Amino acid sequence: MTDHWHLEHEDFFEDLPQLKEEFVRRATRLDLKKNDFVFFEDEPGDRCYLLEQGVVKILRSTMQGKEPIFFIRRAGELFGLAEVIDGKTRKCNAQCLTPCTMYAVAKDDFEFLLAHHHAFARKVIALLGKRLRFLSEQLENVMLHDVTSRLLKILLYLGFSKLSECHWPNSPVTIPRSLTQEEIAAMTGSCQQTVSEILKQFERDGLIHISRKEIKFLKPGDMLERLYH
C-alpha cells in the first residue's frame, strides 16, 4: 500500500477506553451549532479537543479574504494539539461544519495525561507525526500535481474512513456531503468553478454521483487507479 493510506481518520481512544473515560472526566463538554467557531487564530492555545460527534474544519484567513482549509476533523479525533503542547497562540481557526459535541481538556490536565499514561503520550506523538506528513504531502500536491489529482485525493480523504470498510476495488460508498464546493476548492488550492467542472467530469466518467446531501463513490477503485497510475 502507498503513503495515501495514512489519510484514514482514526478513533484516537478506540483501543484505550479507560483512558477515554479519564479524558472525559477531566474535560468540559461543548455542544456547538453548525458554523460556530471552536477557537480563532491568535487566541491562546490553552485547550485541546476530542470530537465526539460532528465535523470540524481547520482553516486560516488571509489578507485576500481567502480561507484555505488544512484539515477536516471527524468524530473520534483529537484536535488543537500543537498549541496546547508548545504554549503558543493558535495559528488557525476551527469551525463546525455540522452540529458538534466535543470535550475540551485544559493544558494542565492534558499534560497530566501525557506524563502519567505512556500509551497516551505515544499515540499523541504518532498522531502529530502523521499530521505533519499529511501537510507535507499537501504542499507537494500543490507544487507538483494538477487540480484534478488534488481533487481526487481530497475526495478519497473525505470518504476514506468508509472506504476502508469496503470490499475493494469497486464497492460503492456513500458519505454525507459536509463540504460545499467552495470549501473543497479551498482544500485543493483552486476555485469553485474549476472544482465544479472537474466534479461534473467525474460524474460523466461514472466515478461519483453527487446530490445535495451526499456523495456516492461509484467506483472508488477506479479513482485510486486514476490517481496513482
Side-chain angles (χ1 to χ4, degrees), residues 6-17:
H6 76 269
L7 292 177
E8 179 180 359
H9 92 275
E10 300 175 356
D11 183 341
F12 184 88
F13 288 107
E14 183 177 13
D15 56 347
L16 300 170

Side-chain angles (χ1 to χ4, degrees), residues 37-90:
F37 280 86
V38 184
F39 54 75
F40 294 93
E41 53 190 289
D42 296 325
E43 286 185 346
D46 55 2
R47 297 194 292 178
C48 67
Y49 302 85
L50 171 64
L51 186 56
E52 184 72 12
Q53 182 177 354
V55 183
V56 171
K57 64 180 178 179
I58 311 297
L59 68 153
R60 287 287 302 269
S61 298
T62 70
M63 296 291 290
Q64 294 76 28
K66 296 182 179 181
E67 295 186 337
I69 298 172
F70 298 113
F71 294 109
I72 299 295
R73 297 284 167 246
R74 291 173 285 192
E77 294 190 271
L78 289 178
F79 66 98
L81 290 174
E83 294 87 0
V84 81
I85 289 175
D86 66 15
K88 301 292 181 62
T89 57
R90 300 288 184 193

Side-chain angles (χ1 to χ4, degrees), residues 141-184:
N141 288 339
V142 172
M143 295 176 66
L144 301 179
H145 299 290
D146 59 20
V147 178
T148 299
S149 296
R150 301 203 299 267
L151 182 54
L152 273 171
K153 284 194 173 187
I154 292 300
L155 289 175
L156 292 169
Y157 168 57
L158 295 175
F160 203 79
S161 63
K162 296 287 186 70
L163 293 178
S164 64
E165 300 167 3
C166 295
H167 299 291
W168 289 93
N170 275 325
S171 300
V173 180
T174 300
I175 63 169
R177 184 176 174 181
S178 54
L179 292 177
T180 65
Q181 288 189 4
E182 289 83 358
E183 289 165 334
I184 293 174

